[in-house]
Amino acid sequence: MFCPTRPRKRQKMKPSPQADADSPAAGATPDEGSRGSRGRDRGRFLYRTGDTPLDGYTIKRGVGHGGFGEVYFATSDAGKEVALKLIRRNLDVELRGVRQCLNLKHANLISLYDIRTDAAGDEWVVMEFVAGDSLEDAIDRHPNGMPVEDALAWFRGIAAGVGHLHRSGIVHRDLKPGNLFLERTVGEAPRAEDVRIGDYGLSKFISTSRRSGQTESVGTVHYMAPEIAGGRYGREIDTYALGVILYEMLTGRTPFEGESVGEVLMKHLTAEPDLSRIGEPYRTVIARALTKDPEARVKSVDEMLALLPQPAGATDTSAEGASDTPVAPTSAVWSPVSRPPHTDLPTPPREPLWQGLVELIDGARTRWAAWQAPPLMKGLVLFGSVMAFFISQAWVLVISLLPFYFGYYIVWAIFFQHTTTAPTATGALTSQAPTELYSSPVTEKPNAKRARQVEWRTVARKQRLEKPAKARARSLVGSMIVAALVASVFAVFAAPMLITDQSADTTALGVWLAAVATLGAWAVLLINTDAVARFEDRLPLRGMNTLAGVGVGFAAFALATLLGLELPRSPDATIHPNDALVRQVAGVDLYQSAERNGRTIAVPAAASMAYFAIVFFTMRWWNTIDVVRGSRIGFFSIAVIAVFAWMLTLVSYYPQPVGVATIALVALSAKAASPWLPPTKREAIARGETVTV
């Protein structure tokens, strides 16, 4: 780290004359000399005005604390103003970075003069002193965003210095407003040539506060690229930080904020920035710079500059001095690899309660995916949770609240839905006041990674269809065998849990459950494998799935009759057969002649076929086993299917929890057996390579 890291308020940099003259060094008692004293209070400085810890230099005042030490404003014996940095932590790392940069010369980089050792054996870096404010100070003066001309001047200067570092084979790794300075006084308009970059070595700390705090890692957390979590430190992490800085200059805040380091890091890894308040071309530049995938990110700072408006008659600021590289016209427009036709339409507002539920579910899915547990344990926990939900009658509360929600939704849709201002047409962002940049509260996320995802999904599905028929047939047969094995194994564990009558035949129930789940999974695989690419209209798919459900339902009835099996039921897990909508609305009693006792029931053929037909018609099986689905199993999606299977009992009764368990096992077996594209192959397809799908 090679330049001052300043406090948030400049007035804190200037100790009073009394403090300079009389106060002891931080951590030193009054009778201890300031020279060589070692305090522990990072809020104060070791040396005071007039101290000469380094021969030839006299300290005038403390400037700031960095992750590796503290910085002072000093003068040489000849009167030259310099900054002296005392290295107190990670000496080897800091000195290695300094030595790599000692001979760098660029107008936008703080100059490094020398490395010196004092009489106490401490290492000092002698560097250029910049008297102006930091970018952090400038942003603090504009909490709603800086004027566009000022932001562009800052950005051009920063990009010029970073470009020189990259051409010299150096990655900054800790770009942030606290490390960027302006060699001018407060109140004057910034110019690109006056911007200075400091700390352009190998930083090893991140911030726990918004900009300044430090903790062990690389970079500062609010400006940290996602790939740093995986140990990747290419030039792309600097372009990512530049995107964050440009966003912050225009809006007054960083794109991802949180109450803890972990929360901010998770947002960098998973969340998308809200770019709805930023106009073009800045929105495109920031979107490309903040893309999660470093391969899809903007390639260089020169490319970022080319997409931004250029001052009249200006040359490319990314070059050293005068540039011979032509600047792209300001009308340069970036388009994603694959752009859905609805991308430019405004995003309709969502009902607030539903949006809150969606966010809650998304958070639960993220935590579930992050849980490092064996798949079998996850499956057992999920199955137990679903069973507990029904047995505890929590579903009664959910059902009772639905009428109130529907009434509320109707009122909201009539009176409040259209009060949200629709996004205005995107126009060029000129020199209007920062408040004019905010056109809509509706979030729009034009992200390059999302566009690449759309493209690789389409390519993967197309490659599946282009495989020879024999190869696809072999794959389908293999999937059916795997589905039968999975269904049989899980049926062994599930059958004892479903028994409600101690005199029931557990073996017969296990055989029935394995056979029905296998037939259901086979039907799903036969009809829905590669269906997303083969069918644009989903209605024929639903029709075929419905017919398959009728067949599975009849097979379930026939097998139960053959085994002499009455299916177990729990009166507390669902409604009475006479309370189903088929009975109440249509007046059809499917269980009129059914044999039953308190804990078991012989399901008639019509009732069995009706239930499975409704379930297979409702479920979107083609997405469940799509080759480009998010994960091979996806226990959360299986839980959703199980919940819907239980809710459909309200339409056409089926004994529970055996019905839910059967449908969940169909989904589990089909997912586990169907083809799935692992992340390595997805990345290869996104890079344009041909892989076996």
Side-chain angles (χ1 to χ4, degrees):
M1 300 170 63
F2 313 130
C3 74
T5 301
R6 299 170 183 257
R8 290 185 61 82
K9 301 298 181 184
R10 286 204 71 216
Q11 58 267 29
K12 293 182 181 179
M13 298 181 191
K14 301 176 180 180
S16 66
Q18 181 69 24
D20 285 341
D22 301 327
S23 62
T29 58
D31 58 339
E32 290 176 316
S34 62
R35 188 182 181 95
S37 302
R38 290 293 175 267
R40 297 298 180 187
D41 185 0
R42 287 174 56 86
R44 303 177 65 185
F45 295 93
L46 292 177
Y47 300 101
R48 55 187 179 183
T49 300
D51 285 344
T52 57
L54 197 62
D55 290 340
Y57 296 94
T58 301
I59 288 178
K60 296 300 183 182
R61 64 175 183 271
V63 174
H65 295 90
F68 289 89
E70 50 195 39
V71 183
Y72 299 87
F73 168 56
T75 58
S76 69
D77 292 345
K80 182 177 180 60
E81 296 181 345
V82 296
L84 298 179
K85 181 170 185 178
L86 171 61
I87 305 176
R88 300 181 62 187
R89 298 182 61 190
N90 290 52
L91 180 64
D92 293 339
V93 174
E94 177 76 351
L95 291 181
R96 182 173 64 246
V98 173
R99 292 189 179 98
Q100 289 176 345
C101 303
L102 267 177
N103 295 316
L104 286 179
K105 294 180 176 63
H106 192 274
N108 295 109
L109 298 178
I110 288 180
S111 299
L112 305 178
Y113 300 140
D114 201 0
I115 301 174
R116 299 281 298 276
T117 304
D118 63 17
D122 291 330
E123 301 288 346
W124 296 75
V125 180
V126 184
M127 69 186 87
E128 175 187 3
F129 177 74
V130 180
D133 278 351
S134 68
L135 177 56
E136 184 176 28
D137 299 321
I139 293 175
D140 286 342
R141 290 195 297 270
H142 301 91
N144 293 322
M146 298 170 58
V148 176
E149 296 89 343
D150 292 358
L152 284 176
W154 272 99
F155 191 84
R156 292 187 190 108
I158 299 166
V162 173
H164 182 74
L165 288 175
H166 288 180
R167 287 187 292 273
S168 302
I170 296 173
V171 180
H172 190 291
R173 307 209 312 184
D174 194 20
L175 288 171
K176 59 182 178 182
N179 287 342
L180 307 170
F181 304 90
L182 194 68
E183 187 58 87
R184 296 180 70 81
T185 57
V186 177
E188 295 186 6
R191 299 182 304 173
E193 56 266 30
D194 296 325
V195 175
R196 301 288 187 273
I197 300 176
D199 281 11
Y200 48 88
L202 302 176
S203 175
K204 298 292 288 185
F205 296 85
I206 66 173
S207 173
T208 54
S209 64
R210 183 162 176 251
R211 298 192 186 103
S212 303
Q214 303 289 340
T215 186
E216 307 259 338
S217 187
V218 177
T220 302
V221 68
H222 287 87
Y223 310 87
M224 182 180 292
E227 64 268 23
I228 291 179
R232 177 171 176 172
Y233 309 109
R235 298 176 182 176
E236 298 84 3
I237 68 173
D238 284 349
T239 55
Y240 186 92
L242 286 175
V244 176
I245 291 171
L246 181 58
Y247 182 102
E248 188 174 12
M249 288 193 293
L250 293 177
T251 65
R253 57 183 299 175
T254 54
F256 304 116
E257 297 183 341
E259 298 298 326
S260 66
V261 170
E263 182 180 354
V264 177
L265 289 177
M266 182 58 68
K267 289 182 179 180
H268 278 292
L269 291 169
T270 60
E272 301 290 352
D274 179 5
L275 303 178
S276 60
R277 303 185 300 174
I278 300 176
E280 294 290 3
Y282 308 92
R283 177 184 297 178
T284 291
V285 174
I286 295 173
R288 292 194 62 188
L290 298 188
T291 298
K292 310 297 184 189
D293 181 3
E295 298 297 332
R297 197 173 300 154
V298 62
K299 299 303 180 185
S300 65
V301 293
D302 294 340
E303 187 176 347
M304 295 181 72
L305 285 173
L307 293 172
L308 291 172
Q310 301 294 326
T315 58
D316 186 1
T317 58
S318 66
E320 306 175 40
S323 171
D324 55 3
T325 304
V327 177
T330 59
S331 60
V333 177
W334 166 82
S335 296
V337 177
S338 174
R339 192 179 185 91
H342 61 272
T343 300
D344 294 324
L345 297 180
T347 304
R350 285 183 174 179
E351 187 277 311
L353 293 181
W354 178 256
Q355 177 64 23
L357 178 62
V358 170
E359 293 176 355
L360 180 65
I361 293 174
D362 288 343
R365 293 182 65 178
T366 301
R367 290 189 292 272
W368 178 267
W371 182 29
Q372 301 296 325
L376 179 59
M377 180 181 293
K378 281 190 172 184
L380 294 175
V381 169
L382 187 60
F383 183 80
S385 301
V386 173
M387 292 297 101
F389 174 79
F390 293 119
I391 294 174
S392 66
Q393 298 189 11
W395 59 271
V396 176
L397 177 62
V398 176
I399 296 298
S400 63
L401 292 176
L402 286 179
F404 296 98
Y405 175 78
F406 288 143
Y408 156 77
Y409 183 84
I410 292 173
V411 173
W412 175 82
I414 295 175
F415 297 102
F416 300 101
Q417 181 177 12
H418 303 293
T419 58
T420 304
T421 305
T424 58
T426 301
L429 187 62
T430 57
S431 59
Q432 69 262 37
T435 54
E436 297 177 3
L437 304 180
Y438 306 106
S439 58
S440 169
V442 180
T443 302
E444 188 172 333
K445 303 173 181 177
N447 188 277
K449 181 183 180 183
R450 173 60 184 165
R452 289 173 65 87
Q453 287 179 340
V454 172
E455 178 67 15
W456 74 256
R457 291 175 189 270
T458 303
V459 173
R461 294 181 181 126
K462 182 179 179 181
Q463 290 183 6
R464 280 279 305 172
L465 289 181
E466 291 175 350
K467 291 180 64 175
K470 289 184 178 181
R472 285 190 284 123
R474 286 195 299 269
S475 175
L476 180 59
V477 171
S479 296
M480 295 173 69
I481 294 173
V482 173
L485 294 174
V486 173
S488 300
V489 170
F490 275 85
V492 172
F493 293 98
M497 301 175 65
L498 299 174
I499 291 295
T500 57
D501 187 349
Q502 298 300 325
S503 62
D505 189 348
T506 304
T507 302
L509 180 60
V511 172
W512 180 90
L513 183 60
V516 174
T518 298
L519 291 174
W522 284 359
V524 170
L525 292 170
L526 286 169
I527 297 172
N528 298 276
T529 300
D530 301 327
V532 175
R534 290 188 290 114
F535 295 92
E536 293 184 2
D537 186 1
R538 300 293 186 256
L539 186 59
L541 270 177
R542 290 194 184 275
M544 289 186 288
N545 281 316
T546 302
L547 293 177
V550 172
V552 173
F554 181 79
F557 159 76
L559 186 60
T561 303
L562 181 63
L563 295 173
L565 177 67
E566 292 184 357
L567 296 183
R569 64 169 180 159
S570 173
D572 297 331
T574 185
I575 61 175
H576 190 272
N578 292 334
D579 295 331
L581 293 179
V582 170
R583 176 70 173 82
Q584 294 291 326
V585 177
V588 178
D589 188 359
L590 298 176
Y591 286 85
Q592 183 176 6
S593 59
E595 298 180 4
R596 70 188 80 181
N597 59 37
R599 292 293 179 178
T600 62
I601 186 171
V603 181
S608 181
M609 290 188 292
Y611 176 73
F612 280 95
I614 294 174
V615 170
F616 272 65
F617 172 81
T618 305
M619 303 303 174
R620 302 176 65 179
W621 296 112
W622 51 88
N623 286 339
T624 301
I625 64 170
D626 189 7
V627 68
V628 295
R629 60 190 182 276
S631 59
R632 176 178 288 278
I633 301 297
F635 288 106
F636 181 83
S637 63
I638 295 175
V640 172
I641 291 173
V643 171
F644 272 96
W646 176 87
M647 294 179 65
L648 292 175
T649 303
L650 305 178
V651 179
S652 180
Y653 176 83
Y654 201 82
Q656 299 297 348
V658 68
V660 169
T662 304
I663 300 302
L665 192 50
V666 168
L668 173 63
S669 303
K671 276 178 165 288
S674 58
W676 178 68
L677 202 64
T680 53
K681 291 188 176 181
R682 300 181 188 197
E683 295 173 1
I685 292 176
R687 292 192 297 267
E689 301 176 9
T690 302
V691 300
T692 302
V693 182

